[in-house]
Coordinates of all heavy atoms in Angstrom, one line a residue:
M1 N -11.5 17.3 -43.1 CA -12.9 16.8 -43.2 C -13.5 16.6 -41.9 O -12.8 16.0 -40.9 CB -13.0 15.5 -44.0 CG -14.4 15.0 -44.1 SD -14.6 13.2 -44.9 CE -13.2 13.1 -46.0
E2 N -14.7 16.9 -41.6 CA -15.4 16.7 -40.3 C -15.9 15.3 -40.3 O -16.6 14.9 -41.2 CB -16.5 17.7 -40.2 CG -16.2 19.1 -39.8 CD -15.6 19.1 -38.2 OE1 -16.2 18.4 -37.4 OE2 -14.7 19.8 -38.1
T3 N -15.6 14.7 -39.2 CA -16.1 13.3 -39.1 C -17.2 13.2 -37.8 O -17.8 12.0 -37.8 CB -15.0 12.2 -38.9 OG1 -14.3 12.5 -37.7 CG2 -14.1 12.3 -40.0
G4 N -17.2 14.1 -37.1 CA -17.9 14.1 -35.9 C -17.3 13.2 -34.8 O -17.9 13.0 -33.8
Q5 N -16.0 12.8 -34.9 CA -15.4 12.0 -34.0 C -14.1 12.8 -33.7 O -13.4 13.6 -34.4 CB -15.1 10.7 -34.5 CG -16.3 9.9 -34.8 CD -15.9 8.5 -35.5 OE1 -14.8 8.3 -35.5 NE2 -17.0 7.8 -35.7
A6 N -13.5 12.4 -32.5 CA -12.3 13.0 -32.1 C -11.1 12.3 -33.0 O -11.3 11.2 -33.4 CB -11.8 12.5 -30.6
P7 N -10.1 13.2 -33.3 CA -9.1 12.7 -34.2 C -8.2 11.5 -33.4 O -8.2 11.5 -32.2 CB -8.1 13.7 -34.4 CG -8.4 14.7 -33.1 CD -9.8 14.5 -32.8
L8 N -7.7 10.6 -34.2 CA -6.8 9.6 -33.7 C -5.6 10.3 -33.1 O -5.1 11.2 -33.5 CB -6.4 8.6 -34.8 CG -7.5 7.8 -35.5 CD1 -7.0 7.0 -36.6 CD2 -8.3 6.9 -34.5
V9 N -4.9 9.5 -32.0 CA -3.8 10.0 -31.4 C -2.6 10.1 -32.4 O -1.9 11.1 -32.6 CB -3.3 9.2 -30.3 CG1 -2.0 9.7 -29.6 CG2 -4.5 9.1 -29.3
K10 N -2.5 9.1 -33.3 CA -1.5 9.2 -34.5 C -1.7 10.4 -35.3 O -0.7 10.9 -35.8 CB -1.5 7.8 -35.2 CG -0.5 7.6 -36.1 CD -0.5 6.2 -36.7 CE 0.7 6.0 -37.6 NZ 0.7 4.6 -38.2
T11 N -2.9 10.7 -35.6 CA -3.2 11.9 -36.5 C -2.7 13.1 -35.8 O -2.0 14.0 -36.4 CB -4.7 12.0 -36.8 OG1 -5.2 10.9 -37.5 CG2 -4.9 13.2 -37.6
A12 N -3.0 13.3 -34.5 CA -2.4 14.6 -33.7 C -1.0 14.5 -33.7 O -0.3 15.6 -33.8 CB -3.0 14.5 -32.4
A13 N -0.4 13.3 -33.6 CA 1.2 13.2 -33.6 C 1.7 13.6 -34.8 O 2.6 14.4 -35.0 CB 1.6 11.7 -33.2
H14 N 1.1 13.2 -36.0 CA 1.5 13.6 -37.4 C 1.4 15.1 -37.6 O 2.4 15.6 -38.3 CB 0.8 12.7 -38.4 CG 1.5 11.4 -38.7 ND1 2.6 11.2 -39.4 CD2 1.1 10.1 -38.1 CE1 2.9 9.9 -39.4 NE2 2.1 9.3 -38.6
V15 N 0.3 15.7 -37.2 CA 0.1 17.1 -37.3 C 1.3 17.8 -36.5 O 1.9 18.8 -37.0 CB -1.3 17.5 -36.9 CG1 -1.4 19.0 -36.8 CG2 -2.3 16.9 -37.9
S16 N 1.6 17.3 -35.4 CA 2.6 18.0 -34.6 C 3.9 17.8 -35.2 O 4.7 18.8 -35.2 CB 2.6 17.2 -33.2 OG 1.5 17.6 -32.5
K17 N 4.2 16.8 -35.8 CA 5.5 16.4 -36.5 C 5.6 17.4 -37.6 O 6.7 18.0 -37.8 CB 5.5 15.1 -37.1 CG 6.6 14.7 -37.9 CD 6.5 13.3 -38.5 CE 6.5 13.5 -40.0 NZ 6.5 12.3 -40.8
Q18 N 4.7 17.7 -38.5 CA 4.7 18.6 -39.4 C 5.0 20.0 -39.0 O 5.8 20.9 -39.5 CB 3.4 18.7 -40.3 CG 3.3 17.4 -41.2 CD 4.4 17.3 -42.1 OE1 5.2 16.4 -42.2 NE2 4.7 18.4 -43.1
V19 N 4.2 20.5 -37.9 CA 4.6 21.8 -37.3 C 6.0 21.9 -36.8 O 6.6 22.9 -37.1 CB 3.5 22.0 -36.1 CG1 4.0 23.3 -35.4 CG2 2.1 22.2 -36.7
V20 N 6.5 20.9 -36.2 CA 7.8 20.9 -35.7 C 8.9 20.9 -36.9 O 9.6 21.8 -36.9 CB 8.1 19.8 -34.7 CG1 9.7 19.7 -34.5 CG2 7.3 19.9 -33.5
Y21 N 8.6 20.1 -37.9 CA 9.5 20.0 -39.0 C 9.6 21.3 -39.8 O 10.6 21.8 -40.1 CB 9.2 18.8 -39.9 CG 10.1 18.7 -41.0 CD1 11.4 18.1 -40.8 CD2 9.9 19.2 -42.3 CE1 12.3 18.1 -41.8 CE2 10.8 19.1 -43.4 CZ 12.1 18.5 -43.1 OH 13.0 18.4 -44.1
N22 N 8.4 22.0 -39.9 CA 8.3 23.1 -40.6 C 8.9 24.3 -39.9 O 9.0 25.4 -40.5 CB 6.9 23.4 -41.2 CG 6.5 22.5 -42.2 OD1 7.2 21.9 -42.9 ND2 5.2 22.3 -42.2
N23 N 9.2 24.2 -38.7 CA 9.7 25.3 -37.8 C 10.9 24.9 -37.1 O 11.2 25.4 -35.9 CB 8.5 25.7 -36.8 CG 7.4 26.4 -37.5 OD1 7.4 27.6 -38.1 ND2 6.3 25.6 -37.8
K24 N 11.5 23.9 -37.5 CA 12.6 23.2 -36.7 C 13.9 24.2 -36.3 O 14.5 24.1 -35.3 CB 13.3 22.0 -37.4 CG 13.9 22.3 -38.8 CD 14.4 20.9 -39.3 CE 14.8 21.2 -40.8 NZ 13.8 20.9 -41.8
E25 N 13.9 25.3 -37.2 CA 15.0 26.3 -36.8 C 14.5 27.3 -35.6 O 15.3 27.8 -35.0 CB 15.2 27.3 -38.0 CG 15.9 26.5 -39.3 CD 14.9 25.8 -40.1 OE1 13.7 26.1 -40.0 OE2 15.2 24.9 -40.8
R26 N 13.2 27.2 -35.3 CA 12.7 28.1 -34.3 C 12.5 27.3 -33.0 O 12.5 28.0 -31.9 CB 11.3 28.7 -34.7 CG 11.5 29.5 -35.9 CD 10.1 30.0 -36.3 NE 10.3 30.5 -37.7 CZ 9.2 30.9 -38.4 NH1 8.0 30.7 -37.9 NH2 9.3 31.3 -39.6
F27 N 12.3 26.0 -33.0 CA 12.0 25.2 -31.7 C 13.3 24.8 -31.1 O 14.3 24.5 -31.7 CB 11.1 24.0 -32.0 CG 9.7 24.2 -32.3 CD1 9.1 23.6 -33.4 CD2 8.9 25.1 -31.6 CE1 7.8 23.9 -33.7 CE2 7.6 25.4 -31.8 CZ 7.2 24.7 -32.9
T28 N 13.3 24.8 -29.8 CA 14.3 24.3 -28.9 C 14.0 23.2 -27.9 O 14.7 23.0 -26.9 CB 15.0 25.5 -28.2 OG1 14.0 26.2 -27.2 CG2 15.5 26.6 -29.1
A29 N 12.8 22.7 -28.1 CA 12.4 21.6 -27.2 C 11.5 20.5 -28.1 O 11.1 21.0 -29.2 CB 11.5 22.2 -26.2
S30 N 11.5 19.4 -27.6 CA 10.8 18.3 -28.3 C 9.4 18.4 -27.7 O 9.0 19.0 -26.7 CB 11.4 16.9 -28.0 OG 11.4 16.6 -26.7
L31 N 8.4 17.6 -28.4 CA 7.0 17.5 -27.9 C 6.7 16.1 -27.7 O 7.2 15.2 -28.2 CB 6.1 17.9 -29.1 CG 6.2 19.4 -29.6 CD1 5.1 19.5 -30.8 CD2 5.9 20.3 -28.6
I32 N 5.9 16.0 -26.7 CA 5.2 14.7 -26.3 C 3.7 14.8 -26.6 O 3.1 15.5 -26.1 CB 5.5 14.3 -24.8 CG1 6.9 14.2 -24.4 CG2 4.8 12.9 -24.5 CD1 7.3 14.0 -23.0
V33 N 3.3 13.8 -27.5 CA 1.9 13.8 -27.9 C 1.4 12.4 -27.4 O 1.9 11.3 -27.9 CB 1.7 13.9 -29.4 CG1 0.3 13.8 -29.7 CG2 2.4 15.1 -29.9
A34 N 0.4 12.4 -26.5 CA -0.1 11.2 -25.8 C -1.5 11.3 -25.7 O -2.1 12.3 -25.7 CB 0.6 11.0 -24.5
G35 N -2.2 10.1 -25.8 CA -3.6 10.0 -25.6 C -4.2 8.7 -25.8 O -3.4 7.7 -25.8
W36 N -5.5 8.6 -25.8 CA -6.2 7.4 -26.0 C -7.2 7.5 -27.2 O -7.9 8.5 -27.1 CB -6.8 7.0 -24.7 CG -7.4 5.6 -24.7 CD1 -6.9 4.4 -24.2 CD2 -8.7 5.3 -25.2 NE1 -7.8 3.5 -24.5 CE2 -9.0 3.8 -24.9 CE3 -9.9 6.0 -25.7 CZ2 -10.1 3.3 -25.3 CZ3 -11.0 5.4 -26.1 CH2 -11.2 4.0 -25.8
D37 N -7.3 6.5 -27.9 CA -8.5 6.5 -29.0 C -9.0 5.0 -29.0 O -8.4 4.1 -28.6 CB -8.1 7.1 -30.3 CG -6.9 6.2 -31.0 OD1 -7.0 5.0 -31.1 OD2 -6.0 6.9 -31.5
K38 N -10.2 4.9 -29.6 CA -10.9 3.6 -29.7 C -10.2 2.7 -30.6 O -10.3 1.5 -30.5 CB -12.3 3.8 -30.2 CG -13.2 4.6 -29.2 CD -14.7 4.7 -29.7 CE -15.5 5.5 -28.8 NZ -16.9 5.8 -29.3
Q39 N -9.6 3.2 -31.6 CA -8.9 2.3 -32.6 C -7.6 1.6 -32.1 O -7.4 0.4 -32.3 CB -8.5 3.2 -33.8 CG -8.0 2.3 -35.0 CD -7.8 3.2 -36.2 OE1 -7.8 4.3 -36.2 NE2 -7.5 2.4 -37.3
V40 N -6.8 2.3 -31.3 CA -5.5 1.7 -30.9 C -5.4 1.7 -29.4 O -4.6 0.8 -28.8 CB -4.3 2.5 -31.6 CG1 -3.0 1.9 -31.0 CG2 -4.4 2.5 -33.0
G41 N -6.1 2.5 -28.6 CA -5.9 2.6 -27.2 C -5.0 3.6 -26.7 O -4.7 4.6 -27.6
G42 N -4.2 3.4 -25.7 CA -3.2 4.5 -25.2 C -2.0 4.5 -26.2 O -1.5 3.4 -26.4
Q43 N -1.5 5.6 -26.4 CA -0.3 5.9 -27.1 C 0.5 7.0 -26.6 O -0.1 8.0 -26.2 CB -0.7 6.1 -28.6 CG -1.5 4.9 -29.2 CD -2.4 5.5 -30.3 OE1 -2.1 5.8 -31.3 NE2 -3.7 5.6 -29.9
V44 N 1.8 7.0 -26.9 CA 2.8 8.0 -26.6 C 3.6 8.2 -27.9 O 4.2 7.2 -28.3 CB 3.6 7.7 -25.4 CG1 4.6 8.8 -25.1 CG2 2.6 7.4 -24.1
Y45 N 3.6 9.3 -28.3 CA 4.6 9.7 -29.4 C 5.5 10.9 -28.9 O 5.2 11.8 -28.3 CB 3.8 10.3 -30.6 CG 3.0 9.1 -31.3 CD1 1.6 9.0 -30.9 CD2 3.5 8.3 -32.3 CE1 0.9 7.9 -31.5 CE2 2.7 7.3 -32.9 CZ 1.5 7.2 -32.5 OH 0.6 6.2 -33.0
V46 N 6.8 10.8 -29.4 CA 7.8 11.8 -29.2 C 8.0 12.4 -30.4 O 8.4 11.8 -31.5 CB 9.0 11.2 -28.5 CG1 10.0 12.4 -28.3 CG2 8.6 10.6 -27.2
V47 N 8.0 13.9 -30.5 CA 8.6 14.6 -31.7 C 9.8 15.4 -31.3 O 9.6 16.5 -30.7 CB 7.4 15.5 -32.3 CG1 7.7 16.2 -33.6 CG2 6.0 14.7 -32.4
P48 N 10.9 14.9 -31.7 CA 12.1 15.8 -31.4 C 12.2 17.0 -32.2 O 11.5 17.2 -33.2 CB 13.3 14.7 -31.7 CG 12.7 13.4 -31.9 CD 11.2 13.6 -32.2
I49 N 13.1 17.8 -31.9 CA 13.2 19.1 -32.6 C 13.6 19.0 -34.0 O 13.4 19.9 -34.9 CB 14.1 20.1 -31.9 CG1 15.6 19.4 -31.8 CG2 13.7 20.5 -30.5 CD1 16.7 20.4 -31.2
N50 N 14.0 17.8 -34.6 CA 14.3 17.6 -35.9 C 13.1 17.1 -36.7 O 13.2 17.0 -38.0 CB 15.5 16.5 -36.2 CG 15.0 15.2 -35.7 OD1 14.0 14.9 -35.2 ND2 15.9 14.2 -35.8
G51 N 11.9 17.0 -36.1 CA 10.7 16.6 -36.7 C 10.4 15.1 -37.0 O 9.5 14.8 -37.7
M52 N 11.2 14.3 -36.4 CA 10.9 12.9 -36.5 C 9.7 12.5 -35.6 O 9.2 13.3 -34.8 CB 12.1 12.1 -35.9 CG 13.2 11.8 -36.9 SD 14.6 10.9 -36.1 CE 13.8 9.4 -35.4
L53 N 9.1 11.4 -35.9 CA 8.0 10.9 -35.1 C 8.3 9.5 -34.5 O 8.7 8.6 -35.3 CB 6.7 10.9 -35.9 CG 5.5 10.5 -35.1 CD1 5.1 11.4 -34.0 CD2 4.3 10.3 -36.2
I54 N 8.3 9.4 -33.1 CA 8.8 8.1 -32.6 C 7.7 7.6 -31.6 O 7.2 8.4 -30.7 CB 10.2 8.3 -31.7 CG1 11.3 8.9 -32.6 CG2 10.5 7.0 -31.2 CD1 12.4 9.5 -31.9
R55 N 7.2 6.5 -31.7 CA 6.2 5.9 -30.9 C 7.0 5.2 -29.7 O 7.9 4.4 -29.9 CB 5.1 5.0 -31.5 CG 4.2 4.5 -30.5 CD 3.1 3.8 -31.1 NE 2.1 3.4 -30.1 CZ 1.1 2.5 -30.2 NH1 1.0 2.0 -31.4 NH2 0.4 2.3 -29.2
K56 N 6.5 5.4 -28.5 CA 7.3 4.8 -27.3 C 6.2 4.3 -26.4 O 5.0 4.8 -26.4 CB 8.1 5.8 -26.6 CG 9.1 6.4 -27.6 CD 10.1 7.3 -26.8 CE 11.2 6.5 -26.1 NZ 12.3 7.2 -25.5
G57 N 6.6 3.4 -25.5 CA 5.7 2.9 -24.5 C 5.5 3.9 -23.3 O 4.4 4.1 -22.8
V58 N 6.6 4.6 -23.0 CA 6.5 5.7 -22.0 C 7.7 6.6 -22.4 O 8.8 6.2 -22.9 CB 6.7 5.1 -20.6 CG1 8.0 4.3 -20.4 CG2 6.5 6.1 -19.5
H59 N 7.5 7.9 -22.0 CA 8.7 8.8 -22.4 C 8.6 10.0 -21.2 O 7.4 10.4 -20.9 CB 8.3 9.4 -23.6 CG 9.5 10.4 -24.0 ND1 10.8 9.9 -24.4 CD2 9.6 11.8 -24.1 CE1 11.5 10.9 -24.7 NE2 10.9 12.0 -24.4
I60 N 9.7 10.4 -20.8 CA 9.8 11.4 -19.9 C 11.0 12.3 -20.4 O 12.1 11.9 -20.8 CB 10.2 10.9 -18.4 CG1 9.1 10.0 -17.9 CG2 10.5 12.0 -17.5 CD1 9.4 9.3 -16.8
S61 N 10.8 13.6 -20.2 CA 11.8 14.6 -20.8 C 11.8 15.8 -19.9 O 10.8 16.1 -19.3 CB 11.5 14.8 -22.2 OG 12.5 15.7 -22.8
G62 N 12.9 16.5 -20.0 CA 12.9 17.9 -19.2 C 13.7 17.8 -18.0 O 14.2 16.8 -17.6
S63 N 13.6 19.0 -17.4 CA 14.3 19.2 -16.1 C 13.7 18.3 -15.0 O 12.5 18.2 -14.9 CB 14.0 20.7 -15.7 OG 14.6 20.9 -14.4
G64 N 14.6 17.5 -14.3 CA 14.1 16.6 -13.4 C 13.7 15.3 -13.8 O 13.3 14.4 -13.0
S65 N 13.8 15.1 -15.2 CA 13.4 13.8 -15.8 C 14.2 12.7 -15.2 O 13.6 11.5 -15.2 CB 13.3 13.9 -17.2 OG 14.6 14.1 -17.7
I66 N 15.4 12.9 -14.9 CA 16.2 11.7 -14.4 C 15.6 11.0 -13.1 O 15.6 9.9 -13.0 CB 17.6 12.1 -14.2 CG1 18.5 10.9 -14.0 CG2 17.8 13.0 -13.0 CD1 18.9 10.4 -15.3
Y67 N 15.0 11.9 -12.3 CA 14.4 11.4 -11.0 C 13.1 10.7 -11.4 O 12.8 9.6 -10.8 CB 14.1 12.5 -10.1 CG 15.5 13.1 -9.7 CD1 15.8 14.4 -10.1 CD2 16.3 12.5 -8.7 CE1 17.1 15.0 -9.8 CE2 17.5 13.1 -8.4 CZ 17.9 14.3 -8.9 OH 19.2 14.8 -8.7
A68 N 12.3 11.3 -12.3 CA 11.1 10.6 -12.7 C 11.3 9.2 -13.4 O 10.5 8.3 -13.2 CB 10.3 11.5 -13.6
M69 N 12.3 9.3 -14.2 CA 12.7 8.0 -15.0 C 13.0 7.0 -14.0 O 12.6 5.7 -14.2 CB 13.7 8.3 -16.0 CG 13.9 7.2 -17.0 SD 12.4 7.3 -18.0 CE 12.2 5.6 -18.5
G70 N 13.6 7.2 -12.9 CA 14.0 6.2 -11.9 C 12.7 5.5 -11.3 O 12.5 4.4 -11.1
Y71 N 11.7 6.5 -11.0 CA 10.4 6.0 -10.5 C 9.7 5.2 -11.7 O 9.2 4.1 -11.2 CB 9.5 7.3 -10.1 CG 8.2 6.8 -9.6 CD1 8.0 6.2 -8.4 CD2 7.0 7.0 -10.4 CE1 6.7 5.8 -8.0 CE2 5.8 6.6 -10.0 CZ 5.7 6.0 -8.7 OH 4.4 5.7 -8.4
I72 N 9.7 5.6 -12.8 CA 8.9 4.9 -13.8 C 9.7 3.6 -14.1 O 9.0 2.5 -14.2 CB 9.0 5.7 -15.1 CG1 8.2 7.0 -15.0 CG2 8.5 4.9 -16.4 CD1 6.7 6.8 -14.7
D73 N 11.0 3.5 -14.0 CA 11.7 2.3 -14.2 C 11.3 1.2 -13.2 O 11.2 0.1 -13.4 CB 13.2 2.4 -14.2 CG 13.7 2.9 -15.6 OD1 13.1 2.9 -16.5 OD2 14.9 3.5 -15.5
A74 N 11.1 1.7 -12.0 CA 10.8 0.9 -10.8 C 9.4 0.4 -10.7 O 9.0 -0.6 -10.3 CB 11.2 1.6 -9.5
T75 N 8.5 1.2 -11.4 CA 7.0 1.0 -11.2 C 6.2 0.7 -12.4 O 5.2 -0.1 -12.3 CB 6.3 2.1 -10.4 OG1 6.5 3.3 -11.3 CG2 6.8 2.3 -9.1
Y76 N 6.6 1.2 -13.6 CA 5.8 1.0 -14.8 C 6.1 -0.3 -15.4 O 7.1 -0.9 -15.4 CB 6.2 2.1 -15.9 CG 5.6 1.8 -17.2 CD1 4.3 2.1 -17.4 CD2 6.4 1.2 -18.2 CE1 3.6 1.9 -18.7 CE2 5.8 1.0 -19.5 CZ 4.5 1.4 -19.7 OH 4.0 1.1 -20.9
R77 N 5.1 -0.9 -16.0 CA 5.2 -2.1 -16.8 C 4.1 -2.1 -17.9 O 3.0 -1.4 -17.7 CB 5.1 -3.4 -16.0 CG 3.7 -3.7 -15.4 CD 3.7 -4.9 -14.5 NE 2.5 -5.3 -14.2 CZ 1.6 -4.6 -13.4 NH1 2.0 -3.5 -12.7 NH2 0.5 -5.0 -13.1
P78 N 4.3 -2.6 -19.1 CA 3.3 -2.6 -20.2 C 2.0 -3.2 -19.8 O 1.9 -4.2 -18.9 CB 4.0 -3.4 -21.3 CG 5.4 -3.2 -21.0 CD 5.6 -3.2 -19.5
N79 N 0.9 -2.8 -20.2 CA -0.5 -3.3 -20.0 C -1.0 -3.1 -18.7 O -1.8 -4.0 -18.1 CB -0.5 -4.8 -20.5 CG -0.1 -4.9 -21.9 OD1 -0.6 -4.1 -22.9 ND2 0.7 -5.9 -22.3
M80 N -0.5 -2.1 -18.0 CA -1.1 -1.8 -16.7 C -2.5 -1.5 -16.8 O -3.0 -0.9 -17.7 CB -0.3 -0.7 -16.0 CG 1.0 -1.1 -15.6 SD 2.0 0.3 -15.0 CE 1.3 0.6 -13.4
T81 N -3.3 -1.8 -15.8 CA -4.7 -1.4 -15.7 C -4.8 0.1 -15.4 O -3.9 0.7 -14.9 CB -5.5 -2.2 -14.7 OG1 -5.1 -1.9 -13.4 CG2 -5.4 -3.7 -14.8
R82 N -6.0 0.7 -15.7 CA -6.3 2.0 -15.4 C -6.0 2.2 -13.9 O -5.3 3.2 -13.5 CB -7.7 2.4 -15.7 CG -8.0 3.9 -15.5 CD -9.4 4.2 -15.8 NE -9.7 5.6 -15.7 CZ -9.9 6.3 -14.6 NH1 -9.9 5.8 -13.7 NH2 -10.1 7.5 -14.6
D83 N -6.6 1.4 -13.0 CA -6.3 1.6 -11.5 C -4.9 1.6 -11.2 O -4.5 2.3 -10.3 CB -7.2 0.5 -10.8 CG -8.6 0.8 -10.8 OD1 -9.0 1.8 -11.2 OD2 -9.4 -0.3 -10.6
E84 N -4.1 0.5 -11.7 CA -2.7 0.6 -11.5 C -2.0 1.9 -11.9 O -1.1 2.4 -11.2 CB -2.0 -0.6 -12.2 CG -2.5 -2.1 -11.6 CD -2.1 -3.1 -12.4 OE1 -2.0 -3.0 -13.7 OE2 -1.7 -4.2 -11.9
C85 N -2.4 2.4 -13.1 CA -1.9 3.7 -13.5 C -2.2 4.8 -12.6 O -1.4 5.6 -12.3 CB -2.3 3.9 -15.0 SG -1.6 2.8 -16.2
M86 N -3.4 4.8 -12.2 CA -3.8 5.9 -11.3 C -3.0 5.8 -9.9 O -2.6 6.9 -9.4 CB -5.4 5.8 -11.0 CG -6.2 6.1 -12.2 SD -6.0 7.7 -13.0 CE -6.8 8.7 -11.7
E87 N -2.8 4.6 -9.4 CA -2.1 4.4 -8.2 C -0.6 4.8 -8.4 O -0.1 5.5 -7.4 CB -2.3 3.0 -7.7 CG -1.6 2.8 -6.4 CD -2.2 3.5 -5.3 OE1 -3.5 3.9 -5.3 OE2 -1.5 3.9 -4.3
M88 N -0.1 4.5 -9.5 CA 1.2 4.9 -9.8 C 1.4 6.4 -9.8 O 2.3 7.0 -9.4 CB 1.8 4.3 -11.0 CG 3.2 4.5 -11.4 SD 3.7 3.8 -13.0 CE 3.4 5.1 -14.0
A89 N 0.5 7.0 -10.5 CA 0.5 8.4 -10.5 C 0.3 9.2 -9.2 O 1.0 10.1 -8.9 CB -0.6 9.0 -11.5
K90 N -0.6 8.5 -8.3 CA -0.7 9.2 -7.0 C 0.4 9.1 -6.1 O 0.8 9.8 -5.3 CB -2.0 8.6 -6.3 CG -3.2 9.0 -6.9 CD -4.5 8.5 -6.1 CE -4.8 7.1 -6.6 NZ -6.1 6.7 -5.7
T91 N 1.2 7.9 -6.2 CA 2.3 7.7 -5.3 C 3.6 8.2 -5.8 O 4.6 8.3 -5.1 CB 2.5 6.2 -5.0 OG1 2.6 5.5 -6.3 CG2 1.2 5.5 -4.4
G92 N 3.8 8.7 -7.1 CA 4.9 9.1 -7.6 C 5.3 10.4 -7.3 O 5.6 11.2 -6.7

């Protein structure tokens, strides 16, 4: 149904979950669905190859992720301001 508004992040995550679950024999990687909406704010969802849906505060995956996770562990904290997030992204 058309609402004239952007979909909620959770809605996009659920659609992604259905796509992954319906094609789980074909996929060899998980998905990260992240975004911001007026209802909830910033959100990160992980859809592993088995089609589950997991909400996380932060998620890193893939080649080199062990190094990125070290940086995130040292600098990320919940409820950071936009400016703090931008600074973290620039210095990482």
Side-chain angles (χ1 to χ4, degrees):
M1 176 189 333
E2 281 293 320
T3 63
Q5 298 178 359
L8 299 175
V9 177
K10 187 174 186 175
T11 302
H14 276 279
V15 169
S16 298
K17 176 187 116 169
Q18 283 303 118
V19 169
V20 169
Y21 183 77
N22 291 334
N23 295 281
K24 61 184 175 267
E25 295 83 20
R26 299 178 195 170
F27 285 135
T28 59
S30 61
L31 300 178
I32 300 172
V33 181
W36 185 94
D37 62 48
K38 290 179 183 178
Q39 186 174 6
V40 180
Q43 300 149 78
V44 177
Y45 293 90
V46 180
V47 184
I49 58 174
N50 66 359
M52 276 179 52
L53 182 63
I54 306 162
R55 183 164 181 202
K56 299 187 85 176
V58 63
H59 183 75
I60 298 171
S61 181
S63 177
S65 62
I66 192 80
Y67 299 104
M69 198 65 209
Y71 177 73
I72 295 297
D73 282 344
T75 57
Y76 171 81
R77 66 182 193 293
N79 303 313
M80 291 173 68
T81 67
R82 182 183 188 281
D83 289 342
E84 289 170 328
C85 291
M86 295 298 288
E87 188 59 31
M88 186 180 91
K90 285 192 272 185
T91 59

